[in-house]
Amino acid sequence: MRYLLISDIHSNWEALQAVVADAAGQFDRILCCGDLVGYGADPDLVVDWTRANVGPIVRGNHDRVMGDAEALEWFNPVARAAILWTRQTMSPANLEYAANLPKGPLHCDAFTLAHGTPLDEDEYVSNDLEAQMAFAYVERPVTFFGHTHVQCAFQAVRRSVQAFRSPRRQAREWALDLDPGSWYLVNPGSVGQPRDRDPRAAYALYEPESREVLFRRAAYDIAAAQRKIQAAGLPEPLASRLAGGR
Ligand code: ZN
């Protein structure tokens, strides 16, 4: 079984299409670590596609708050504006789908899906220390997560942590061979709003049999996604940040 791993799509249809085209023919099943919506201008296209194509999935913090009653005070003003716009724009069926996605961690076979940490979908795993704390709560050798929008992996090595990131700027892909005796936290990066200074859409391919994770970047039509954000009246920083991958 070959898996396509995606996370943090954030209503960016152009980025999602580029990922699916780039990975075509190289996977059997799609896994998603949450945040289908928020920030971008195409929530319905992204959620319709997800409902038709994605297998195991957990909700992200932006999906959870599609339920009307959910409080938004945790979000900064720009994120909050995008959430309110999405609530007004997206179809009732898709709002309900997003709000009712399962909360992580979701255990499937030999791996787990989570949005933030395995314990808390709002918590970030962005450095060795946070990874070390998160490893205390993992229940499978491989845990896939998102939320930080940074493509990376962490390996538990005795009492410390080894971090892995793209070995070379602008690399189109890099591979990580998982050691059979080790435990890993793996972030495929963000499809729709990367924040690791590489504006290309991020994703990963995973093959349990060969124990290989292939981290990938796919160029997409950023200008088209930006124009839609501007036309929708969403806050300008949501358009401009896409160009810098920040
Ligand atoms: Zn996100």
Side-chain angles (χ1 to χ4, degrees):
M1 181 69 82
R2 302 166 304 167
Y3 295 98
L4 168 61
L5 293 162
I6 53 174
S7 189
D8 298 278
I9 304 161
H10 287 294
S11 304
N12 187 335
W13 179 239
E14 284 71 28
L16 178 60
Q17 282 180 300
V19 163
V20 174
D22 198 58
Q26 296 162 77
F27 63 89
D28 308 301
R29 211 163 177 211
I30 305 175
L31 309 172
C32 181
C33 295
D35 273 1
L36 302 177
V37 299
Y39 302 140
D42 278 320
D44 274 315
L45 285 175
V46 167
V47 174
D48 285 342
W49 176 88
T50 301
R51 294 172 71 167
N53 294 287
V54 174
I57 180 171
V58 293
R59 73 184 188 189
N61 51 321
H62 288 255
D63 305 319
R64 181 186 69 226
V65 297
M66 287 301 115
D68 262 350
E70 294 291 338
L72 298 181
E73 61 264 25
W74 280 54
F75 292 87
N76 67 52
V78 168
R80 201 182 308 142
I83 289 163
L84 292 170
W85 179 88
T86 306
R87 278 183 183 173
Q88 284 161 9
T89 307
M90 195 155 64
S91 76
N94 283 343
L95 281 173
E96 198 183 319
Y97 171 83
N100 291 301
L101 284 168
K103 181 178 189 286
L106 182 70
H107 304 298
C108 331
D109 304 329
F111 58 84
T112 297
L113 298 183
H115 182 64
T117 72
L119 210 59
D120 185 345
E121 63 199 348
D122 291 295
E123 204 68 47
Y124 291 95
V125 181
S126 39
N127 55 43
D128 294 9
L129 185 66
E130 287 164 357
Q132 196 161 13
M133 294 191 311
F135 271 122
Y137 301 100
V138 301
E139 293 177 47
R140 296 285 190 283
V142 182
T143 297
F144 298 109
F145 72 102
H147 195 41
T148 62
H149 298 206
V150 173
Q151 189 180 58
C152 64
F154 298 97
Q155 177 187 13
V157 184
R158 294 196 190 86
R159 290 200 175 170
S160 70
V161 162
Q162 159 103 45
F164 299 91
R165 293 191 175 83
S166 177
R168 153 173 89 74
R169 234 179 125 56
Q170 298 307 315
R172 204 187 91 74
E173 68 174 36
W174 55 285
L176 178 65
D177 290 313
L178 306 185
D179 173 56
S182 276
W183 289 45
Y184 291 87
L185 289 161
V186 175
N187 188 332
S190 169
V191 171
Q193 195 199 73
R195 294 179 192 163
D196 44 13
R197 313 233 159 203
D198 183 340
R200 295 173 298 177
Y203 71 98
L205 295 163
Y206 171 55
E207 194 170 21
E209 290 76 20
S210 66
R211 305 194 58 80
E212 186 187 68
V213 180
L214 201 54
F215 294 90
R216 282 261 184 90
R217 307 302 285 230
Y220 74 96
D221 190 347
I222 293 174
Q226 290 175 317
R227 279 195 298 273
K228 287 182 178 177
I229 287 170
Q230 285 154 349
L234 285 158
E236 170 58 31
L238 293 175
S240 52
R241 71 185 300 172
L242 294 179
R246 289 182 284 169

